[in-house]
């Protein structure tokens, strides 16, 4: 990006009307991917000068315990309904989860899910990192996930969505294929990087369960209805050129007992629609790149 | 030179298990199944009885506390409405449905409103210790001795005013310090309700039991924070119950539905009907076992 410039220079303007036609495998119109965030939040992290992780001095019991619900209870609840309806996960992973709760990571790996990095912890922020520190977390992520799962990660969602002006250039340099950090489109788009190539895959904040429940204050049923409406629109538009729908999740939110039932119904709705190509992030980026280059 | 110290990418607690020693990890779905005396879902009604001094204090301001400049008549009285009216509506609703609940009670409530405590006890409900009053918040800025004194004072005053010794504790806003679990244990309590990381009881390293009181299912979260209607809240409770009952069948073991109620929220005239209807439908459900906090802890302990 152009550091300090008013336009960060991440991409060119590319009007939605009249775009080249992207077609998903078997003529599908909308690529649907599910992105469970498998996270670890530290109970007593160092305080970053630009962001304090917790509302109370450590231990911030509700904040910490709420996230911990994922790793004791709700991961399996969420994962089981995804598996039941044929949705693989593309995991946004706090890679230290490989050390803290390898049992959770192993479960996701055994289900055939794809992993990408969401930083080391969701309580360590990238703002103001030196280049050496940023390379450190990228290399740590690649090595840690490789050791735990056998997968070479291809994607990135910055820890707690915190970046530096050089993050995307570094990702391209390390051979990453996609970033989930840009929210400017409903189709895969090229990102301008210093060297090499990088794709931006839509990872929606608007239908992220965190936004649904804590920004828009939806009930479980309202959120499920939102997912269906979002899907229907993107599936219809995908006839002109293939669209992407991402369902970003946090088990401690979607896996609560009052939300998981309606959510399962939304997944079932999408799974039954033959316009949907249910895929992983890497598969979507590969299918897109094969058509645009 | 970085604006962040080199230590920012050093992780001293990165290890198998948690980054603390308060409790150990376990996957709820892999534990031995638990059986309740009847039904597969323990429905735990927990009502908070809160007295908010018009002079706020404590390490942090409790949710629901005073908002305006002193004197905040608006919030002092609107909260006290729960103790004068709302809680009595709830007691009637519980009696009509023939169910027992837990009442997480500030010591100040026990001392100030003996008629309410007598009615809670006459109804066969449990009293859980819930600090001194709504200024009795706890966090890590509280001096350890002051925290010890606060908890001891709350328990002693509740014992004196109610004639019974509570076995459970609920912190205000479920917020603790790193000392709280040991203080509660040393004070002779058997369980606390503060950690929302599980859906069944579990034991902390020091022996105290956690009985998780899900804040996401509370009337405060759904109605006051998320601004949903009472009917939407009730729908969420039914959706939760249905899911848990089905999950209990698949797991071959019991589940828990904690329903956390606040008299000044759910006890309003236009909302109480939604609670009554929920109690009627769940009360008739063969999978529901309405239980007080200590009943659930007792049953869980038998199979621990």
């Amino acid at each position: 990006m152009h550091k300090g410039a008013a336009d960060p220079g991440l991409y060119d303007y590319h009007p939605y009307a009249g775009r080249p036609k992207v077609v998903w495998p078997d003529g599908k119109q909308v690529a649907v991917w599910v992105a469970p965030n498998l996270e670890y939040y530290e109970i007593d992290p160092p305080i970053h000068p630009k962001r304090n992780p917790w509302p109370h001095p450590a231990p911030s019991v509700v904040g910490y315990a709420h996230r911990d619900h994922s790793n004791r209870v709700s991961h399996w609840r969420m994962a089981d309904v995804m598996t039941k309806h044929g949705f693989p996960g593309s995991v946004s992973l706090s890679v230290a989860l490989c050390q803290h709760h390898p049992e959770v990571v192993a479960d996701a790996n055994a289900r055939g899910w794809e992993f990408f990095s969401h930083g080391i912890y969701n309580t360590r922020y990238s703002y103001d990192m030196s280049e050496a520190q940023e390379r450190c977390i990228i290399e740590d992520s690649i090595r840690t996930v490789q050791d735990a799962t056998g997968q070479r990660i291809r994607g990135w969602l910055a820890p707690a969505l915190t970046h530096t002006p050089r993050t995307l250039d570094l990702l391209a340099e390390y051979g990453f294929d996609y970033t989930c950090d840009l929210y400017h489109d409903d189709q895969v788009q090229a990102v301008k990087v210093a060297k090499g190539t990088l794709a931006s895959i839509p990872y929606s904040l608007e239908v992220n369960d965190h936004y649904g429940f804590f920004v828009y204050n939806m009930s479980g049923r309202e959120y499920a209805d939102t997912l269906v409406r979002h899907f229907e629109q993107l599936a219809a538009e995908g006839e002109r050129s293939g669209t992407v729908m991402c369902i970003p999740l946090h088990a401690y939110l979607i896996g609560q007992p009052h939300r998981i039932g309606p959510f399962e119904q939304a997944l079932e709705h999408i799974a039954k629609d033959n316009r949907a190509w249910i895929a992983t992030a890497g598969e979507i980026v590969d299918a897109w790149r094969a058509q645009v280059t | 030179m970085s604006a962040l110290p080199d230590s920012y990418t050093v992780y001293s607690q990165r290890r198998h298990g948690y980054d603390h020693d308060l409790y150990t990890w376990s996957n709820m779905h892999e534990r031995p199944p638990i059986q309740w005396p009847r039904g597969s879902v323990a429905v735990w009604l927990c009502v908070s009885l809160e007295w908010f001094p018009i002079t706020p204090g404590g390490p942090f301001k409790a949710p629901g506390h005073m908002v305006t400049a002193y004197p905040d008549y608006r919030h002092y009285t609107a909260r006290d409405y729960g103790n004068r009216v709302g809680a009595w509506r709830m007691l009637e609703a519980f009696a009509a449905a023939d169910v027992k609940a837990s009442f997480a009670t500030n010591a100040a409530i026990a001392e100030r409103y003996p008629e309410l405590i007598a009615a809670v006890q006459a109804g066969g409900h449990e009293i859980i210790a819930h600090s001194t009053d709504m200024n009795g918040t706890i966090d890590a800025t509280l001096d350890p001795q002051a925290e010890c004194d606060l908890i001891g004072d709350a328990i002693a005053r509740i014992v004196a005013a109610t004639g019974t010794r509570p076995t459970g504790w609920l912190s205000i806003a479920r917020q603790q310090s790193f000392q709280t679990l040991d203080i509660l244990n040393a004070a002779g309590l058997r369980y606390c309700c503060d950690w929302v990381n599980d859906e069944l009881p579990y034991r902390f390293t020091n022996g105290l039991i956690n009985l998780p009181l899900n804040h996401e299912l509370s009337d405060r979260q759904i109605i006051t924070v998320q601004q949903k209607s009472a009917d939407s809240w009730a729908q969420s409770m039914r959706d939760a119950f249905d899911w848990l009952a089905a999950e209990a069948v698949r797991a071959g073991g019991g589940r828990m539905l904690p329903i956390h109620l606040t008299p000044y929220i759910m006890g309003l005239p236009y909302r109480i009907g939604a609670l009554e209807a929920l109690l009627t439908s769940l009360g008739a459900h063969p999978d529901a076992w309405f239980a007080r906090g200590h009943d659930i802890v007792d049953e869980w302990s038998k199979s621990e």
Side-chain angles (χ1 to χ4, degrees), chain A residues 78-97:
Chain A
M78 170 189 73
D80 283 350
V81 301
M82 288 169 57
T83 300
K84 180 177 170 187
H85 296 286
F87 290 81
S90 303
V91 175
S92 162
L93 180 69
S94 295
V95 303
L97 192 68

Side-chain angles (χ1 to χ4, degrees), chain A residues 40 43 59 64 68-69 71-73 77 99-100 103 124-125 133 140 213 217 221-222 256 259, chain B residues 2 5 8 14 16-19 23 25 28-29 175 197-199 214 216 226 228 235 239 247:
Chain A
Y40 198 96
I43 200 166
Y64 181 86
D68 189 25
H69 187 276
N71 295 324
R72 300 173 68 90
V73 178
R77 207 175 261 162
Q99 278 81 39
H100 289 291
E103 302 86 352
R124 302 268 177 152
Y125 308 129
Q133 286 174 320
D140 183 333
F213 301 127
N217 290 323
R221 289 182 176 219
E222 288 164 343
Q256 292 288 339
R259 298 186 180 128
Chain B
S2 169
Y8 200 71
R14 191 173 176 181
H16 189 219
Y18 288 107
D19 58 342
Y23 52 87
W25 180 81
M28 183 186 79
H29 306 279
Q175 174 62 20
N197 54 354
D198 213 298
E199 293 185 14
N214 192 326
E216 284 259 60
Q226 295 181 306
K228 311 315 289 184
Q235 184 69 67
D239 286 345
E247 190 174 278

Side-chain angles (χ1 to χ4, degrees), chain B residues 4-298:
Chain B
L4 293 173
D6 290 343
S7 62
Y8 200 71
T9 48
V10 174
Y11 318 101
S12 62
Q13 302 300 311
R14 191 173 176 181
R15 63 188 183 197
H16 189 219
Y18 288 107
D19 58 342
H20 59 77
D21 298 316
L22 300 173
Y23 52 87
T24 56
W25 180 81
S26 129
N27 170 359
M28 183 186 79
H29 306 279
E30 290 184 343
R31 294 177 209 154
I34 185 166
Q35 307 302 329
W36 305 127
R38 62 178 178 279
S40 59
V41 180
V43 180
W44 172 34
L45 300 164
C46 184
V47 180
S48 281
L49 296 181
E50 305 169 326
W51 184 65
F52 293 85
I54 199 168
T55 49
F60 67 93
K61 202 157 89 169
H65 217 312
M66 301 302 109
V67 176
T68 75
Y70 177 84
D72 186 351
Y73 283 179
R74 181 191 322 180
H75 290 95
Y76 179 82
T77 57
R79 301 305 174 247
D80 216 20
Y81 174 94
N83 302 317
R84 299 171 61 89
V85 181
W88 294 92
R89 284 201 182 105
M90 288 185 179
L91 284 166
E92 275 197 41
F94 297 161
D98 193 23
V99 295
K100 309 288 182 238
S102 299
F103 283 73
T105 305
N106 288 165
I109 294 278
E111 292 170 338
R112 294 165 54 89
Y113 307 136
E115 300 91 338
L116 179 56
I117 296 305
V120 166
Q121 292 180 312
H125 307 297
E126 173 191 16
I127 290 179
I128 290 174
H130 187 34
S131 200
T132 47
D133 57 40
M134 296 308 281
N135 287 355
T137 50
I138 293 169
D139 72 18
T141 65
L142 197 58
D143 173 78
Q145 188 56 50
E147 181 181 352
C148 210
D149 293 346
L150 174 82
I151 291 171
D153 182 42
I155 294 170
R157 288 164 58 192
I158 290 169
V159 170
T162 68
T164 59
R165 178 167 289 275
T167 58
W169 172 273
L170 174 67
S171 299
I172 295 171
R174 297 167 176 75
Q175 174 62 20
Q176 302 186 345
S177 76
F178 280 117
Q179 279 71 241
T180 306
L181 294 173
D182 285 340
I183 295 171
L184 297 177
N185 207 32
L189 289 155
R190 189 166 183 223
Y191 71 95
C192 78
C193 316
D194 295 338
W195 291 72
V196 295
N197 54 354
D198 213 298
E199 293 185 14
L200 286 173
Y202 68 87
R203 209 174 272 280
F204 295 106
T205 311
N206 73 359
L208 193 76
I209 294 167
N210 188 54
L211 180 68
L213 180 59
N214 192 326
H215 70 302
E216 284 259 60
L217 298 172
S218 66
D219 58 358
R220 180 182 300 284
Q221 178 65 26
I222 293 177
I223 293 179
T224 304
V225 176
Q226 295 181 306
Q227 307 266 299
K228 311 315 289 184
S229 69
D231 286 345
S232 177
W233 167 86
Q235 184 69 67
S236 284
M237 297 304 109
R238 288 191 182 89
D239 286 345
F241 181 87
D242 290 347
W243 180 271
L244 292 168
E247 190 174 278
V249 171
R250 289 194 295 275
R255 291 288 182 261
M256 237 182 93
L257 177 65
I259 300 181
H260 191 190
L261 300 168
T262 313
Y264 75 79
I265 300 172
M266 192 54 72
L268 293 181
Y270 67 97
R271 291 196 183 119
I272 193 74
L275 173 62
E276 290 168 347
L278 178 70
L279 294 178
T280 300
S281 64
L282 291 186
H285 204 295
D287 292 333
W289 173 49
F290 278 86
R292 299 163 296 188
H294 63 65
D295 298 324
I296 298 171
V297 167
D298 285 346

